Each structure stands twice: as structure tokens, then as C-alpha cells.
Amino acid sequence: MQYRQLGRSGLKISALNFGSVTFGGQGNFAATGKVDIAEATRMVDICVEHGVNMFDTADAYSGGEAEEILGRVLQGRSRELLVTSKVRFPTGKGPNEQGLSRHHILNACDDSLRRLGRDHIDLYYLHEWDGLTPVEETLEALQTLRDQGKIRYAGISNFAGWQAMKLLGAAERDRLIAPVSQQLYYSLEARDAEYELLPLAVDQGLGVQVWSPLACGLLTDKYRRGKTAPEDSRRISGWPEPEVRDLKKLYDTVEVLVQIAEEHSVSAARVALAWTLHKPAITSLVLGARQESQLLDNLAAASLRLTQEQVRRLDDVSAPDLIYPYWHQNRNAFDRLSKADLVLQGPAKRHREALETKK
């Protein structure tokens, strides 16, 4: 297992983490999986054997049951095993039992610690933007938690670029705890994070943990042109994420994935994970498995090395459209771009050159 430094923090985490979104299977989360305590214990054992040192959960997963199961499974294990959790989504019916207010953050953290059976959370994420709560109030609540020893680090998840910079700017101005990491959606199915979030991570020194790097199973050979997906797949079971805006591009991408997988004699899923680990700013991928065989295959991605030509093929088939102002910069500013800019513009330039060569 490879260990990577989490942003500008001193913390090193495994390139592959394990997520508990499949634990419990309560309410809407039944579509993600129904992993019980026995299955969860076996999966965590496998992860530890393969060098995974970070485990991800959230108070929203199965109404808190995922936290409870993870806490029981990790009880008595090494303190080298790190835990992330999250706050933002509703935890009750009251008007203040959601969001990023001081009231909700402090209460939600105590509830998460109780369910986890721990005295601290290693990395505490703001699970979603809250446009109604001042960022100063949110940061002051996180600062309180760190001062109390209840969290070690803070992060943000599912924020837009301007929202993340607003939070970072307020933290620096007021000398409050600043996020060290983003947890975001990024995969060959949708590379939207390359517009703002990954360049921001490079520029500001944020770590990046990727959720759903297999696009909830879309980046496997289950979903191919002219093939019916299995009835137990998340998409068929009613899980709405991620949104697929270009089905043709998805099918084209999966075809290239399968081709490269055959070249390595591995699964398409393993190739998709390996591609993501190759990309700039990525610290780790959060794996969420429902079966032991899936988990073992996904963990093997840490040792898969793709050639530059294979990475380029995947880059080209999945390339995001250059929306404004990026197409303008691509034409007029390419000699004045930073490493952060090149997260998007580098692959875009190669893709443009490839298209011109074909002409």
C-alpha cells in the first residue's frame, strides 16, 4: 500500500480508504448495500491486511447505523487506524437538526462520537455547503471541537470552488481551523472536478479523497452498450447518484476501460481506480464494497501501473468539455498557465492535438 500526505497536514493516509456507506442498509441507503456487523468485520480485516489505515463514515449513512457498525468493528484495534465522519445532513425532524450552524455541528459531533465509541474523530468533514450559515460560525464551531480534542483535522465535501475559497479565506483571516482536505466525486464518468476543485487543491495544498471513484458501479463491465445491468446493481435498485449526462460518452469510456483491462488481464473496475490514482492532487480513493470479492479486486488497484499511452486513451475518451472561460484560456493563455491550471488544460491540450492528428 502506498501512503500519501494529506494536503499540507502532517498526516499520511493510505491511497485506498474504505467507506461504510454500505453498512446497515437503512432507509434510502438500502440501495447501496446491507452489510451487517459480521460482513463489516471481515471487510475491515481484509483492509487492514492490505495496509488501509483510514475508514470513512458519516452520520447520514443509514441514520447513524453505519457509524455504530464501524465503531464496533474498530473497537480495540490500533490507534493507527484513522476515522473520518461528516456533518450537515438532517439527523432529526427539528429545524436545527441539520446544516452547519454551531448548534448542529457541536451536537452532531457528540452524537457521532457516541455511536463510534471514540473520544475523537481524526478527520471531520462538512458534508455539504450550507448557504444560510455564515462561514465564520461554522469555522468557530470546528475550532471549538479541535480545542476540545474531539476532532484532529477538518475537511470539506461537495463544495463549489468559490465556496471552498470563501471558507479558506475566512479561516486564514480569523486564524481559525482550516480544511486540510476535500472529499469529492471524481471519476472517468464525470471529470467535473477538473474545472475548479482539483486545481484549487493543487493551488491551496488541499488533500483530495474521492468518493465513488467507480461511479456507483457504472465503470465496470456491468454497464455496456447493449447489455442489461444486473438487477442488484445500485442504478437498478434506485440509487440516484451519480447523474449521467452523456450516456454515449459513458459507454465509449467503458469500452476503452474493458480494452485496457484485457491488456492487463484485470477487471475494468481495477483500471478505472488505477487511472484515478494517477491524476494530480488525488490523495486517496474511498472504496465502498458490498461483497468481499469486490473489495479484494478494488484493493489490487493500488499495485496496477498503467502506461502513459493507456492513461492518455482514457483521458481522451472521457475528456470534459472546455466551458468558458477555459476554452478562451486554452486558445490564448497556454504559455502562462500554472500547475493548477494544467490539471484541466493539460489533458485538454493533448485531447485537442489527438483530434487534430486524426484529421
Side-chain angles (χ1 to χ4, degrees):
M1 180 61 66
Q2 185 182 92
Y3 297 91
R4 300 178 176 184
Q5 194 155 341
L6 185 66
R8 291 177 177 169
S9 78
L11 198 65
K12 288 198 172 185
I13 67 173
S14 49
L16 297 175
N17 308 151
F18 185 61
S20 69
V21 70
T22 60
F23 290 6
Q26 299 298 311
N28 294 334
F29 287 88
T32 69
K34 299 180 181 180
V35 175
D36 61 20
I37 185 72
E39 293 171 307
T41 300
R42 178 58 185 150
M43 287 184 176
V44 169
D45 286 342
I46 290 171
C47 287
V48 173
E49 290 168 7
H50 284 77
V52 173
N53 75 342
M54 180 163 272
F55 296 85
D56 179 75
T57 191
D59 61 5
Y61 298 164
S62 290
E65 187 170 343
E67 284 185 324
E68 291 183 5
I69 293 175
L70 182 63
R72 289 170 62 187
V73 172
L74 293 179
Q75 198 69 39
R77 295 181 187 254
S78 170
R79 66 180 181 180
E80 287 296 303
L81 300 183
L82 308 170
V83 171
T84 77
S85 193
K86 310 179 192 75
V87 58
R88 163 62 172 84
F89 291 111
T91 54
K93 296 181 179 180
N96 292 310
E97 293 183 274
Q98 63 176 311
L100 298 179
S101 68
R102 179 180 181 85
H103 174 90
H104 183 61
I105 288 175
L106 297 184
N107 286 340
C109 184
D110 284 343
D111 290 342
S112 288
L113 289 172
R114 173 179 49 78
R115 286 189 290 264
L116 288 164
R118 297 169 65 89
D119 63 4
H120 74 276
I121 295 169
D122 296 288
L123 176 55
Y124 199 41
Y125 275 107
L126 307 177
H127 206 166
E128 183 79 70
W129 172 249
D130 177 359
L132 298 182
T133 301
V135 294
E136 294 81 3
E137 179 178 341
T138 297
L139 289 168
E140 287 167 359
L142 292 175
Q143 183 70 48
T144 296
L145 292 175
R146 189 174 71 173
D147 291 345
Q148 293 174 343
K150 293 178 179 179
I151 66 172
R152 299 281 172 85
Y153 300 94
I156 54 177
S157 182
N158 306 310
F159 277 46
W162 72 266
Q163 295 162 349
M165 282 305 304
K166 183 174 183 177
L167 198 77
L168 288 168
E172 182 176 4
R173 181 195 66 212
D174 298 340
R175 297 186 179 182
L176 295 169
I177 183 173
V180 299
S181 180
Q182 297 182 85
Q183 191 172 124
L184 49 80
Y185 173 58
Y186 179 57
S187 75
L188 278 164
E189 184 275 326
R191 292 165 55 185
D192 304 345
E194 291 180 17
Y195 291 126
E196 293 285 342
L197 298 177
L198 294 185
L200 182 147
V202 171
D203 186 69
Q204 297 295 311
L206 289 176
V208 175
Q209 289 186 294
V210 176
W211 61 261
S212 200
L214 293 176
C216 291
L218 293 176
L219 296 173
T220 67
D221 59 5
K222 294 178 183 178
Y223 296 90
R224 299 181 68 177
R225 191 176 278 109
K227 183 177 180 180
T228 303
E231 291 186 1
D232 65 345
S233 64
R234 290 192 193 182
R235 301 295 290 190
I236 303 301
S237 301
W239 189 248
E241 297 178 347
E243 293 185 3
V244 178
R245 298 190 298 272
D246 191 337
L247 192 59
K248 179 183 181 300
K249 179 182 279 191
L250 171 63
Y251 285 145
D252 290 345
T253 299
V254 172
E255 290 305 313
V256 177
L257 270 176
V258 171
Q259 293 169 11
I260 295 174
E262 290 173 349
E263 293 167 14
H264 286 273
S265 298
V266 299
S267 69
R270 199 180 304 183
V271 173
L273 295 173
W275 175 87
T276 312
L277 285 171
H278 276 77
K279 305 309 287 182
I282 303 302
T283 310
S284 66
L285 313 182
V286 182
L287 307 177
R290 292 188 286 180
Q291 300 172 7
E292 184 177 323
S293 58
Q294 290 176 333
L295 178 58
L296 287 167
D297 183 68
N298 291 349
L299 287 169
S303 59
L304 178 60
R305 298 292 177 264
L306 303 178
T307 67
Q308 289 184 346
E309 185 269 341
Q310 289 169 336
V311 171
R312 187 165 299 171
R313 283 157 61 191
L314 291 168
D315 281 348
D316 289 347
V317 73
S318 64
D321 295 329
L322 282 187
I323 59 177
Y324 179 81
Y326 304 111
W327 59 260
H328 201 276
Q329 294 174 1
N330 187 269
R331 293 176 181 175
N332 301 294
F334 214 88
D335 60 337
R336 302 285 293 181
L337 299 180
S338 68
K339 288 182 179 180
D341 297 312
L342 291 172
V343 171
L344 173 67
Q345 298 286 7
K349 181 184 179 185
R350 291 196 301 271
H351 182 56
R352 184 185 63 196
E353 291 171 345
L355 291 177
E356 290 174 351
T357 300
K358 289 180 181 179
K359 292 178 183 178

